[in-house]
Amino acid sequence: MVNEIDSKSLSQRLGEGEGVVLVDIRTQAEMAQGIIPDSLLLPMHLIPLRMSELPMDQDVVLYCRSGARSYQACAYMMQKGYGRVLNLRGGIIDWAGHGYPIGSLDT
């Protein structure tokens, strides 16, 4: 069972300065349309190669466009021993739909 977080809870945690690592697992083309500010950019296909760069002692929130791919990525990471991964329910679509900030790759 993958743990999930909704946009409102994530926004609150970020606003309170909680140590959450945000990871955008979408393609480069999708990321170019906008990202959640301060996200680590790690396309899904690179997770097996680079997940060792992610902390195991901190909550890691994965997100994609709708939450489906990030759910699968969370399940994969949990199988590999990561206990503190969370899926952003509804992905960046839900985040943007609630009016939370969207940044660009340039910033």
Side-chain angles (χ1 to χ4, degrees):
M1 176 84 180
V2 171
N3 292 318
E4 295 191 294
I5 188 168
D6 60 38
S7 294
K8 181 178 179 183
S9 299
L10 177 59
S11 178
Q12 287 173 339
R13 289 186 67 178
L14 294 172
E16 293 166 2
E18 283 194 39
V20 175
V21 178
L22 276 176
V23 182
D24 189 329
I25 68 158
R26 299 174 301 154
T27 65
Q28 192 74 23
E30 288 175 299
M31 291 175 193
Q33 297 171 8
I35 61 170
I36 298 175
D38 301 319
S39 294
L40 174 67
L41 309 179
L42 181 60
M44 186 173 183
H45 70 280
L46 294 177
I47 288 175
L49 300 172
R50 294 185 48 205
M51 75 179 164
S52 62
E53 298 171 22
L54 300 174
M56 293 187 85
D57 61 348
Q58 213 174 345
D59 285 346
V60 176
V61 177
L62 303 184
Y63 72 92
C64 62
R65 183 175 175 275
S66 68
R69 284 175 287 172
S70 51
Y71 187 96
Q72 297 301 321
C74 284
Y76 173 81
M77 288 182 66
M78 289 171 68
Q79 289 174 347
K80 298 297 182 184
Y82 281 79
R84 295 185 64 178
V85 289
L86 300 162
N87 179 45
L88 177 58
R89 188 181 309 118
I92 197 167
I93 291 174
D94 188 71
W95 175 268
H98 281 88
Y100 297 122
I102 300 291
S104 69
L105 289 177
D106 305 335
T107 57

